[in-house]
Structures are given as C-alpha cells and as structure tokens.
Amino acid sequence: MRVPVIPPDAAAASPAPRLPPAPVAATTIAAVHTAVPPHRYAQEDLTEPIGDLCLAPGADRVLLRRLHVSTGVRTRHLALPIERYAGLGDFGRSNDAWIEAGTDLGAEAVTGALREAGLEPADVDLLVCNSVTGVATPSLDARLVGRLGLRHDVKRIPVFGLGCVAGAAGLARVHDYLRGHPGDTAVLLTVELCSLTLQRRDDSTANLVAGALFGDGAAAVVARGRDSPGRDGDGPAVVATRSHLYPGTGHLMGWEIGATGFRVVIDAGLPAVVRDHLGPPLRAFLADHGLTVDDIGAWVCHPGGPKVMTAVTEVLGLPDDALNSARRSLAALGNMSSASVLHVLQSHHGARRPEPGTWGLLMAMGPGFCSEFVLMRW
C-alpha cells in the first residue's frame, strides 16, 4: 500500500495544533489582614527585661545583647506588657493568657480580612485556625464562631504543630479544599503569641535567640473558590502547591514540652540545611509548571531570620533585594511564626501590588524539617 506524501508547502499551510486553554485558578486570595497586640516595644527596650527573665542574677549578658542587635528586628509587639511576664509563673497561666489574647487577636484579624474582602461572617464556609504557641479545647476557631457571627454549620479545622511553615501550608490546604468546593469561601487564621513560650531562667542559646527574634501577632486570609460570587479583587490566584520534608532533620526545630510549657528547639545548622536542600525541590516544582527562578517576580518568603534569608537568597541566586518585603516585616514585627509569611503577603497588596501577570512564590519552612511552596499569579 502506498502512503501518500504530503508536499512541503501543504505541511507548512497546516494549522498549528491548538493548545488547551489555561485552567481557571481554583483559588483567589481576596484579602489578607494582620493584627498585632497594642504593646509595642523597640528592640533595645526589650533586651534587659528579657535578660532579667531568662538569665540568673549577675549572669553575663554579652551573648544576649549581641543577639538582640544581630536579628534585624527593630520593633516588636507582645501579647502582654513586658512587666507582666515575670508573674506568669507556670505553663497554665501562660496558656490562659494565650487563650485570652489569642481569641481577641484572632477576632480582629478575621474581622479585618472579611471587611477588606467585602464579605460578611455568614459568607464563610470553612475556617482553618492554626497556632503552635498554645493549646485550647474548645479550640480558638470554636470560640470565634459565636463571637464573630459565623454560621453554626461552618466547617472548622484547628491545626497544631506546623510552626513557622503553617502560614504557607495552611494556604496550600485551603487551596486543596477550594478545588473540591469551588463555590465556597474559606478563611485561614494563624495566631502566634511567641512571647508566652519564653522560658524563665533558661540561658540556652535557643531560648535567647527566641527572646531576641520572635514577636506576637495574628493574620487572616480570605480565599474564594473559582465559582464563588463576587470573587474579583487585586489579590493573586493560587496556581499550585508543593510540600517537601527533608529526611533526618526532625531534630532541628520544634518544641520540647515539659512542666514549664514549650521549650524552643532551634538548631544553629538550619541555614546550612537550607543551602543544602532547598534548591532542588523548589526548582523542580517551578519546572513542573514551565518556570524557572528567574520567572518569579514576587518572592513572598517567611522571615525566619537574617541567616536563613541570606541562605535562601544565595542558594537560589536571587537579587539582593528579592526578599526585601520579608526583611521589612522582620524589622517591624519580628518573626511571628506562621503569621509572618501572611504579613509579607499582605505587603504585596495595595500600592505594592505586582503588575498583572506577575508570577509569585510564597514559601516557608518549619519543623519537620520541611518547606511549603505556593505558586501564585497576579
């Protein structure tokens, strides 16, 4: 049987195959709102009071003072006035303070985010609430339902244990939910009162680093499915997400939980882990979507600390100013654990909103040791 030969000019005239249209994004970020306690302090005004809490009388304070200078933090907000921390006494009192202040801040964050999104509490179908700095049953989300006027059939997911990565991981899981419930509206709330975990009379380097680096705050994100009414806004769309655990690194970050509460674990080797392990999974994630690091125009990075941010910049070959939004957040509010990356995301709204079509990557790292990537487009 003869196979017909197509002349070259006929082949050239054939129409190019049609590419499938780009899928409609499953999730749009309608609003982000950060709430902080009213007790605001300059970093230099906290150094000696925190030394009084953490160190024995007469102990050398050279390391304490050096850490407070080197963190890049200028101001922080605390859940309580600094003079009240010495009287907390035990984990029970600290946790009671977390419930009271955390509920107030959570309510403020969610109310602000809904207002900015032009929505009412009754519009919320799912509330995801994360914290790693306290525990409560009923959980914070349950306590907020009646206070905020959320529907009694609102779906709730309280989350504990993700630490600093939870702002990114929470947004990723909200995206997963909205893919299956495209007509819904979801709220992600993170509440972190890190100061209430500070250990008294603990002169370990990890506790001193925590006392120099962390601040208190809450943040809420309103996210809408592709079929939800009134979803227009200037926030980005979530395109895809990726989670990654690094084997053999579980001991590097977390809590040691005992009679005095949450004793922080922060290993000095974390920046080296970032340098050794962050690049390949992040580049592979971008490549799966036809992108490279150079295609990302907005980096929304959790401000884990100056050394971690330097490691991120170096391993990805980023311009020196790529993480400026994270550095500004760290300077103004300290590291607020899971709430910080959402505060950085908030800074990309309004006057600092990227041009339409800009690709963004929201990322954070936390206990596990793990990272979470959220690919976005404005």
Side-chain angles (χ1 to χ4, degrees):
M1 180 178 68
R2 295 182 62 190
V3 178
V5 177
I6 301 176
D9 56 343
S14 299
R18 290 179 60 84
L19 296 175
V24 177
T27 302
T28 298
I29 297 173
V32 187
H33 187 83
T34 303
V36 292
H39 315 294
R40 181 175 181 266
Y41 296 91
Q43 178 81 326
E44 59 267 26
D45 293 334
L46 288 176
T47 304
E48 300 309 319
I50 287 178
D52 294 340
L53 286 171
C54 298
L55 301 177
D60 185 271
R61 299 197 173 193
V62 172
L63 176 60
L64 170 84
R65 292 165 182 162
R66 177 162 58 82
L67 289 171
H68 276 246
V69 170
S70 64
T71 57
V73 178
R74 292 199 303 268
T75 56
R76 282 183 285 167
H77 294 251
L78 303 185
L80 305 175
I82 185 61
E83 60 270 15
R84 285 189 55 190
Y85 284 82
L88 289 175
D90 60 22
F91 176 53
R93 290 181 180 177
S94 296
N95 200 67
D96 287 344
W98 173 84
I99 293 173
E100 181 178 357
T103 305
D104 290 343
L105 278 180
E108 182 181 345
V110 173
T111 300
L114 288 174
R115 181 177 61 246
E116 291 168 18
L119 297 174
E120 299 295 330
D123 295 320
V124 178
D125 301 292
L126 171 71
L127 175 60
V128 178
C129 182
N130 169 81
S131 182
V132 76
T133 51
V135 291
T137 303
S139 51
L140 290 184
D141 48 288
R143 296 164 189 260
L144 289 171
V145 171
R147 177 168 175 170
L148 297 180
L150 299 171
R151 299 197 318 263
H152 290 170
D153 66 347
V154 67
K155 287 165 272 193
R156 299 180 295 109
I157 303 177
V159 179
F160 178 87
L162 288 175
C164 293
V165 80
L171 182 57
R173 301 294 78 79
V174 163
H175 172 66
D176 291 341
Y177 169 84
L178 290 174
R179 290 176 66 190
H181 299 80
D184 281 8
T185 294
V187 171
L188 167 66
L189 170 65
T190 64
V191 179
E192 302 292 14
L193 306 183
C194 306
S195 67
L196 294 173
T197 69
L198 196 64
Q199 298 295 294
R200 285 164 284 282
R201 294 294 179 262
D202 178 354
D203 63 357
S204 66
T205 300
N207 194 50
L208 297 182
V209 168
L213 181 64
F214 287 96
D216 296 344
V221 176
V222 177
R224 312 207 70 189
R226 66 172 179 266
D227 296 336
S228 60
R231 64 192 296 271
D232 293 337
D234 67 356
V238 176
V239 176
T241 70
R242 180 72 56 84
S243 305
H244 197 87
L245 276 163
Y246 305 96
T249 61
H251 62 286
L252 297 177
M253 177 179 281
W255 295 129
E256 291 178 353
I257 302 175
T260 59
F262 302 131
R263 187 172 186 267
V264 70
V265 176
I266 305 176
D267 194 279
L270 283 174
V273 172
V274 172
R275 286 188 175 89
D276 292 343
H277 298 288
L278 177 68
L282 189 151
R283 289 190 173 91
F285 173 55
L286 294 179
D288 285 346
H289 299 279
L291 301 171
T292 69
V293 167
D294 293 337
D295 293 315
I296 303 301
W299 292 91
V300 183
C301 181
H302 170 67
K307 292 182 179 179
V308 170
M309 287 190 286
T310 296
V312 170
T313 301
E314 291 176 355
V315 76
L316 298 179
L318 301 180
D320 291 340
D321 62 352
L323 303 188
N324 276 358
S325 58
R327 291 189 174 92
R328 286 192 295 266
S329 177
L330 183 68
L333 298 174
N335 180 343
M336 299 185 295
S337 189
S338 64
S340 277
V341 75
L342 302 182
H343 180 254
V344 177
L345 177 61
Q346 181 181 344
S347 74
H348 289 267
H349 283 246
R352 288 197 175 102
R353 178 182 183 270
E355 292 294 323
T358 299
W359 288 100
L361 188 73
L362 182 146
M363 63 177 177
M365 290 161 280
F369 186 68
C370 66
S371 58
E372 195 83 28
F373 310 133
V374 179
L375 181 63
M376 306 179 298
R377 196 169 195 185
W378 271 265

